[in-house]
Amino acid sequence: MTQCCINPSILSADFVNLEAELQRIRTADAVHVDVMDNHFVPNLTIGLPVVQRIQAVSPVPLDAHLMIADADRWAPGFADAGLASVTFHAEASIAPVKLARELRSRGSKAGMALRPATPVEPYLDMLSELDMLLIMTVEPGFGGQAFLDLTLPKIRRARAAIDGSGAGVAIQVDGGITEETIVRAAEAGATVFVAGSAVYGADDPAAAIERLRDQGSRPLRAASAE
């Protein structure tokens, strides 16, 4: 398992002052950019032109989460924009292996996301094609939702499969991450954590990031002490 990474979601940021909001999380590992199209999910956020501007001013790498239909068509453009990682939904891709390879060929890490009810087993054979597996811990589309504990067994199964295969795939979780729920997710095997309101709802986002990083690292510290 790799170190704990905290990727704050700007879905909870002040979009009128987005450049300043990015500076408030400059100690994060990456900024999580939620792209929603009002088709795949019932919400509309930002598109590629805005993401390109965020890429130009962000003090940390961009981690895009594409909650959009027809990912095979649109996802490569985000890789072309120079993003560190681009995650598409398995449910929105007709050819996920081809898409993951295309994202990598364009210079981005390839991530694939699964809704809470989507089983991980059908996708285990393509782990070597991915850099990250995002297991949604809420239904995608809106921030501020409560963590779904029913996703923990799926995280554990994904971790066991990854460790068994030797694939260098990170497990990211997104939704309801707090200083309390991050521990359960980390114990299940996640190492990359998306947090929106837990960071931007704090008086000091940088301090909130450090607290989350400390809590998320607890299972790693325990394992190294054994």
Side-chain angles (χ1 to χ4, degrees):
M1 295 173 66
T2 59
Q3 66 177 6
C4 167
C5 296
I6 306 299
N7 296 9
S9 168
I10 56 170
L11 190 63
S12 298
D14 178 2
F15 272 58
V16 175
N17 300 293
L18 200 48
E19 186 171 359
E21 292 285 77
L22 291 167
Q23 290 298 325
R24 296 176 75 201
I25 60 166
R26 60 186 178 275
T27 58
D29 297 281
V31 55
H32 191 78
V33 181
D34 291 299
V35 178
M36 307 181 192
D37 65 357
N38 196 218
H39 294 285
F40 182 72
V41 292
N43 197 3
L44 182 66
T45 55
I46 58 177
L48 182 56
V50 176
V51 174
Q52 289 171 325
R53 286 296 299 137
I54 295 171
Q55 170 74 13
V57 301
S58 177
V60 292
L62 264 61
D63 164 34
H65 177 194
L66 306 184
M67 288 167 273
I68 61 175
D70 199 3
D72 302 272
R73 176 183 180 186
W74 299 112
F78 289 84
D80 287 341
L83 274 64
S85 64
V86 177
T87 297
F88 62 91
H89 267 266
E91 304 91 348
S93 173
I94 296 173
V97 172
K98 179 182 177 182
L99 179 54
R101 290 181 177 180
E102 188 164 3
L103 293 174
R104 281 177 161 181
S105 73
R106 298 187 186 208
S108 289
K109 291 183 178 179
M112 187 174 69
L114 303 176
R115 287 178 179 267
T118 301
V120 69
E121 284 76 14
Y123 302 99
L124 294 181
D125 287 343
M126 64 173 290
L127 286 175
S128 62
E129 307 290 344
L130 300 172
D131 299 292
M132 186 165 66
L133 179 66
L134 167 53
I135 296 177
M136 292 298 300
T137 46
V138 299
E139 287 295 340
F142 294 93
Q145 299 182 65
F147 184 90
L148 294 174
D149 283 284
L150 60 83
T151 61
L152 291 172
K154 181 161 68 171
I155 297 170
R156 294 189 189 99
R157 293 195 300 273
R159 169 52 59 196
I162 290 169
D163 290 349
S165 70
V169 181
I171 296 179
Q172 184 180 74
V173 288
D174 180 1
I177 296 299
T178 66
E179 291 179 45
E180 187 268 328
T181 61
I182 194 172
V183 177
R184 299 205 298 276
E187 288 173 344
T191 56
V192 184
F193 306 92
V194 178
S197 54
V199 172
Y200 277 112
D203 292 334
D204 185 343
I209 289 169
E210 283 309 305
R211 290 194 298 270
L212 287 167
R213 188 177 282 128
D214 180 67
Q215 292 293 89
S217 299
R218 281 173 53 183
L220 299 176
R221 293 196 299 268
S224 64
E226 292 178 355

